[in-house]
Amino acid sequence: MLLQTKKLCKQFGGIYALKDIDFEIENGEVLGLVGENGAGKSTLIKILTGVYRLDSGEILWEGNPAEIHNPCQSRDLGINVIHQDRNLVPSFNGIENVFLGLPYEKKGGVAVDWKKMKQRVTAVMEELGIDIDLNIPAALLTPPQKTMLEIVRAMMTRSRLLILDEPTASLTDREAEMLFETIEGLKKKGTSILYVTHRMDEIFRLTDRITVFKNGQLVNTVQTADVNKEQIISMMTDNWVSEKMKTARQFGGSRLDVAHLSSRDGIIKDASFNARAGEILGIFGLGGSGRTELLECVYGHRSVAGGTVAIDHKPVGKASPANSLKQGVVLISEDRRGKALVGSLNVKQNIVLSTIDHYARFGVVDEKKEVSDARDQIDRLSIKTEGPKQPVLQLSGGNQQKVVFAKALLSEPKVLLCDEPTQAVDVKTRQEIHKLLRKRADDGNAVVFVSSDLKEMLEVADNVLIMAGGKTKELFANDGLTAEQVLACCYAD
Amino acid sequence: MDKNRKLADFMRAYGTIFAGIIIVIAFSILSFDAFFTFGNFINITRQISLLVVIALGATLVMSVEEFDLSVGAMASLGGVVAARMAVSGMPMLLCFVFPVAICFVIGLLNGWIVTKFRVLSFITTLAMSTILGGFTFWFTGGATIFENIPRSFTFIGTKSLFSLPLLSLIMIFLTVLFWFVMRHTSFGRKLYAIGGNETASQISGIPVTFHKNMAFALCAALAALTGVLMASRLGSAHPTGGDGLFLQAYAAAFLGRTVFKEGVPNIWGTFVGAAILGILANGLTIMQVPTFMQDLLTGCIIILAVVVQKIGRGDAK
């Protein structure tokens, strides 16, 4: 047994991210780790690599208790991690990148011995059967070459456990194939590999065993040969079934039409959907499927490469947030602190941020009207604040989110795009937000709702659209829909 | 504990003004006859008027979290262009307005490069400063313009109204104007929003590019006006005459960030910052302290003010 955890627990703000995890990885095996969004995979990786500290429990390394308090201790044990967003210095060449964090070879104790360093890197590359040009800066390498370079770096020291976190997220099939060969090579040399991915076919192709996480708990560990995809998916979810609709909802005409939308950065490849008056359209997808990016494209915040967006059957024209707002589209961003709130301003100033021109006559702001409208919103959404002039960051997370909603509602949107609107808010606020979305829809507007919480999705949405790999897939009516159905569609390759 | 907290809050909010008052009291005690007179206070307002005007512009650009390092060169350029025009007998109004308009356009260019190509404003305006410096030198042949400057040109820079220098009145007018703009207009609000969180402002529908460009343009225009007023006051224009104001302007604006609104560039703060710098220079000159000592003290005071503020906010490690 290489690594073992006993009763590992980690909480964030009173909520268990991991609970009583008894996790094992053998010497020289490839272990797949799967689970829904927020199941605790990333938290486990961060504990094993010393980014987070565990609250309670024990880590055993080759049978002996091990302390991992920082990334250095983790690396000294022989644990290396390769993230989906690669950790290379773009302007450094291969050798410099491989030696990041390693002591440089020196000539006479002073001058860097580049020749010797190159020899060491080349030796490791030959051993792994990897061939990369070491003389060009990392920025010029292809995505798989970057991953390979990181593997080389990991193998420069005696790497016993290599953690790969969604390594193929940005690779083409052929590029992924190269990576798989390298992984098989590493396994033959006795390195253990923890492979974390959403892609089922890779799990079945590469792994010896599979560990399944659900809601911060370890559900099961199985021999890959003994199970099939459907069994794994059913282990990952509680299989909630959405309630039958009490009354058949009547939807009006289409308010938002999106056709064959693609983004310039290539994350959104082909997305089409429409949202009707009175409808809450849910968009569900696994991490990295492009939900956030799709909403940003529709809203005009992310550069669009092709496709059309129309509001009430009229093309929106120029893709910019200012124009979208004018046409009646509002985005509630998932990144509250980064993209929704201006932290240096107070509650009132944030609430009127999108609509400030309505309060200005010849450029001069009517502050009385501003304050009274802000107070109205504060009352309507029952925002807990000392008053409109309180700095917005002093509010709790849930109330900050209500401020974001207040700002959005003041512009009277016809189409409300909500990206993870209940993320990191308390239970009460969460329900209030759900009610608010329903009210918005009932008033004849369209609501597009993104959440990575499948249970919430089945509670809130009228229809659920699946996204995977930057494309919109199937559209389900949320009428007796099951979590398994949804996940099966997400995992279908 | 609670007492310490209160003291910290007090120092954070009013520490800089407090320091300013202490400086005034100190000079009054040390040199009552010369310093603490009505005449000298009037004199100080004239001395700081140019600094305040240029620092207002710097404050605008700082409020959108950018920098304009070309304000000194803009002032120099504005001064020599105005002086040259005055010498050649152009109408006075044109002599004052034309250089300001030119620099407004150059400021737009600064803004365009920064927003369109996402070049750091530090680099853009440093390069612009060098370009303008070179141009000004070519334009003047490196010589000071002082011959045949009409008296009408020096009127604004030297005359007073009800014993208040016109320069001081202009300073007060512009300070109040820009305070109003930043505090009470949607334009000013949007500048602060952009400075607070550019992405959130963009997503909230604020035209970030336009507002940043305007901040750069207004900053440049105010810098040029400073140069013109300086030429009017001195009755001459030197090709590097405004360069020295650049560092002082940012010193005033940074001192200003420590006043009233914590950490946010603000108009009255900048005014107080410039006043403190001006009072310091005035008092030390009266006490016949050599210039190098003045620089030394000014630098120390700025560092002290910023450090005290950081400690007050609990940012310090």
Side-chain angles (χ1 to χ4, degrees):
Chain A
M1 195 67 64
L2 179 68
L3 175 96
Q4 207 176 355
T5 71
K6 284 190 174 161
K7 296 256 174 240
L8 203 70
C9 289
K10 177 75 191 172
Q11 291 189 26
F12 291 108
I15 296 161
Y16 277 101
L18 289 178
K19 196 173 181 208
D20 296 336
I21 300 290
D22 295 324
F23 171 86
E24 294 173 355
I25 185 160
E26 302 272 2
N27 266 309
E29 80 166 333
V30 179
L31 179 71
L33 179 58
V34 297
E36 251 204 283
N37 304 323
K41 297 170 301 198
S42 304
T43 311
L44 177 70
I45 294 174
K46 284 183 176 151
I47 286 174
L48 294 182
T49 52
V51 179
Y52 293 158
R53 290 185 75 153
L54 49 91
D55 291 343
S56 63
E58 211 182 351
I59 300 175
L60 299 179
W61 182 259
E62 296 191 300
N64 303 314
E67 299 280 320
I68 305 177
H69 295 318
N70 57 50
C72 269
Q73 287 175 328
S74 169
R75 208 173 321 137
D76 289 345
L77 285 177
I79 301 176
N80 278 290
V81 64
I82 292 169
H83 286 292
Q84 39 196 5
D85 34 346
R86 297 174 190 79
N87 234 336
L88 297 171
V89 181
S91 60
F92 276 21
N93 69 23
I95 301 164
E96 289 166 314
N97 264 308
V98 167
F99 271 89
L100 271 185
L102 292 176
Y104 277 23
E105 295 287 341
K106 301 272 178 60
K107 263 188 276 197
V110 188
V112 175
D113 190 345
W114 292 109
K115 218 175 181 178
K116 200 167 171 198
M117 280 163 61
K118 188 167 184 174
Q119 281 169 1
R120 276 184 59 189
V121 178
T122 317
V124 172
M125 290 209 321
E126 273 170 17
E127 215 184 304
L128 298 171
I130 293 174
D131 183 26
I132 309 171
D133 187 351
L134 288 171
N135 296 317
I136 59 173
L140 297 179
L141 296 173
T142 62
Q145 284 177 328
K146 287 178 187 167
T147 307
M148 303 284 187
L149 192 60
E150 288 216 62
I151 292 178
V152 172
R153 177 162 73 195
M155 300 313 288
M156 287 296 288
T157 50
R158 215 168 74 94
S159 193
R160 303 288 308 281
L161 171 60
L162 190 63
I163 303 173
L164 295 159
D165 187 2
E166 293 282 354
T168 58
S170 57
L171 305 187
T172 63
D173 290 350
R174 192 178 301 162
E175 289 169 346
E177 201 57 40
M178 287 165 62
L179 180 67
F180 298 157
E181 279 164 26
T182 309
I183 289 170
E184 273 153 13
L186 285 173
K187 184 186 157 186
K188 277 193 198 116
K189 293 199 166 59
T191 307
S192 301
I193 288 162
L194 180 61
Y195 196 86
V196 185
T197 186
H198 284 310
R199 300 192 178 184
M200 282 294 156
D201 54 341
E202 289 173 12
I203 289 283
F204 280 91
R205 148 146 201 203
L206 286 171
T207 64
D208 302 307
R209 294 192 304 158
I210 304 171
T211 292
V212 182
F213 272 27
K214 179 176 74 183
N215 297 337
Q217 283 174 305
L218 194 153
V219 181
N220 206 347
T221 300
V222 291
Q223 296 288 332
T224 308
D226 296 345
V227 289
N228 61 29
K229 197 160 108 181
E230 285 67 37
Q231 286 169 308
I232 292 291
I233 289 174
S234 73
M235 277 186 235
M236 281 162 55
T237 167
D238 279 325
N239 200 26
W240 301 284
V241 180
S242 68
E243 285 175 33
K244 287 273 183 196
M245 285 179 201
K246 286 164 197 112
T247 51
R249 279 187 198 288
Q250 294 290 321
F251 302 126
S254 180
R255 301 220 82 167
L256 171 69
D257 286 283
V258 175
H260 302 294
L261 201 65
S262 58
S263 67
R264 198 174 292 166
D265 53 20
I267 294 175
I268 302 303
K269 295 185 178 74
D270 182 8
S272 303
F273 66 92
N274 63 52
R276 289 163 291 178
E279 178 182 16
I280 297 181
L281 174 70
I283 299 184
F284 185 83
L286 303 165
S289 59
R291 303 156 301 186
T292 296
E293 292 81 358
L294 174 59
L295 292 195
E296 286 182 352
C297 278
V298 171
Y299 188 60
H301 178 58
R302 187 174 285 265
S303 296
V304 170
T308 56
V309 178
I311 307 298
D312 289 337
H313 307 293
K314 275 187 285 225
V316 289
K318 189 174 169 244
S320 77
N323 185 40
S324 297
L325 265 164
K326 221 177 280 166
Q327 315 267 343
V329 186
V330 170
L331 171 70
I332 296 203
S333 172
E334 102 198 285
D335 182 1
R336 195 186 305 145
R337 294 280 287 271
K339 293 183 177 177
L341 292 175
V342 180
S344 58
L345 300 182
N346 63 32
V347 171
K348 177 205 74 181
Q349 287 165 331
N350 271 288
I351 289 178
V352 300
L353 194 60
S354 284
T355 43
I356 186 136
D357 285 326
H358 300 303
Y359 296 96
R361 285 189 67 195
F362 305 112
V364 181
V365 176
D366 179 354
E367 206 157 332
K368 268 189 196 150
K369 185 150 189 304
E370 229 184 19
V371 171
S372 83
D373 278 16
R375 277 192 199 284
D376 283 352
Q377 291 294 330
I378 290 170
D379 292 342
R380 252 180 72 190
L381 302 179
S382 46
I383 301 173
K384 272 211 195 73
T385 170
E386 290 167 12
K389 298 234 161 118
Q390 191 180 12
V392 73
L393 291 186
Q394 289 180 2
L395 269 53
S396 72
N399 284 300
Q400 287 181 14
Q401 186 69 343
K402 285 182 182 175
V403 169
V404 176
F405 266 96
K407 175 177 74 175
L409 294 180
L410 262 188
S411 67
E412 300 281 333
K414 294 184 251 179
V415 176
L416 187 59
L417 308 170
C418 308
D419 195 359
E420 307 278 359
T422 58
Q423 175 180 255
V425 306
D426 53 291
V427 183
K428 189 162 163 275
T429 307
R430 185 184 163 99
Q431 282 168 351
E432 285 170 338
I433 288 174
H434 290 169
K435 252 189 230 157
L436 201 140
L437 295 180
R438 178 52 70 196
K439 172 100 183 18
R440 206 66 218 155
D442 287 344
D443 288 349
N445 306 293
V447 175
V448 179
F449 172 72
V450 164
S451 172
S452 47
D453 181 341
L454 185 47
K455 191 172 172 214
E456 182 186 25
M457 181 59 74
L458 294 179
E459 279 168 16
V460 173
D462 295 320
N463 294 298
V464 180
L465 177 73
I466 307 299
M467 260 197 104
K471 294 177 185 164
T472 49
K473 302 277 177 183
E474 241 165 296
L475 177 70
F476 294 103
N478 189 11
D479 193 0
L481 185 64
T482 68
E484 263 182 49
Q485 271 175 296
V486 171
L487 283 180
C489 182
C490 290
Y491 283 111
D493 282 297
Chain B
M1 187 63 206
D2 196 38
K3 213 174 165 189
N4 281 340
R5 184 76 241 153
K6 272 188 182 155
L7 185 68
D9 281 345
F10 179 79
M11 287 306 285
R12 194 172 64 191
Y14 302 108
T16 310
I17 292 179
F18 196 59
I21 293 169
I22 288 179
I23 290 169
V24 171
I25 293 172
F27 283 134
S28 305
I29 293 169
L30 291 170
S31 166
F32 189 81
D33 297 341
F35 181 80
F36 204 81
T37 61
F38 180 70
N40 190 43
F41 285 135
I42 294 297
N43 188 25
I44 289 173
T45 63
R46 183 167 52 216
Q47 283 171 349
I48 65 169
S49 58
L50 296 175
L51 177 57
V52 168
V53 175
I54 198 167
L56 290 179
T59 309
L60 291 185
V61 173
M62 274 170 67
S63 72
V64 291
E65 288 284 295
E66 299 285 357
F67 264 105
D68 187 345
L69 306 189
S70 62
V71 287
M74 297 262 191
S76 301
L77 177 71
V80 298
V81 170
R84 179 67 80 75
M85 286 171 70
V87 169
S88 68
M90 302 239 193
M92 271 316 124
L93 186 65
L94 202 61
C95 295
F96 278 81
V97 172
F98 184 68
V100 175
I102 289 188
C103 285
F104 185 87
V105 175
I106 298 172
L108 277 182
L109 182 63
N110 271 337
W112 182 69
I113 295 168
V114 169
T115 51
K116 175 82 183 171
F117 303 102
R118 297 181 188 277
V119 183
L120 287 179
S121 59
F122 225 78
I123 296 163
T124 309
T125 56
L126 186 63
M128 186 58 79
S129 176
T130 314
I131 293 170
L132 295 179
F135 177 82
T136 308
F137 195 84
W138 169 78
F139 185 70
T140 57
T144 306
I145 303 169
F146 64 96
E147 284 170 339
N148 303 324
I149 288 189
R151 299 202 80 176
S152 54
F153 181 71
T154 58
F155 184 85
I156 286 182
T158 51
K159 292 289 181 280
S160 298
L161 184 70
F162 305 125
S163 77
L164 272 175
L166 287 176
L167 283 179
S168 307
L169 292 173
I170 290 174
M171 163 186 81
I172 292 165
F173 171 73
L174 288 175
T175 306
V176 172
L177 175 71
F178 278 97
W179 163 77
F180 185 82
V181 167
M182 292 307 280
R183 178 71 183 76
H184 288 291
T185 69
S186 54
F187 177 77
R189 294 286 194 75
K190 288 175 185 173
L191 292 189
Y192 278 134
I194 292 167
N197 187 340
E198 192 177 326
T199 312
S201 300
Q202 177 89 43
I203 287 186
S204 299
I206 293 172
V208 171
T209 305
F210 170 79
H211 283 85
K212 275 198 169 179
N213 290 349
M214 285 308 288
F216 275 105
L218 285 172
C219 171
L222 283 168
L225 180 64
T226 306
V228 178
L229 294 176
M230 181 188 265
S232 173
R233 180 183 172 192
L234 299 175
S236 67
H238 189 266
T240 59
D243 294 13
L245 281 172
F246 150 62
L247 279 176
Q248 293 239 9
Y250 280 99
F254 271 110
L255 263 181
R257 278 175 82 141
T258 66
V259 191
F260 304 124
K261 284 182 154 185
E262 299 150 35
V264 180
N266 65 95
I267 298 295
W268 284 114
T270 299
F271 181 82
V272 170
I276 288 175
L277 293 178
I279 291 167
L280 209 57
N282 175 277
L284 292 171
T285 308
I286 287 173
M287 292 174 59
Q288 294 173 333
V289 175
T291 327
F292 68 86
M293 274 303 288
Q294 294 186 18
D295 288 349
L296 223 141
L297 256 171
T298 310
C300 290
I301 283 178
I302 292 167
I303 289 181
L304 195 69
V306 179
V307 168
V308 165
Q309 186 206 17
K310 286 278 179 195
I311 292 170
R313 288 171 76 183
D315 281 359
K317 283 194 175 175

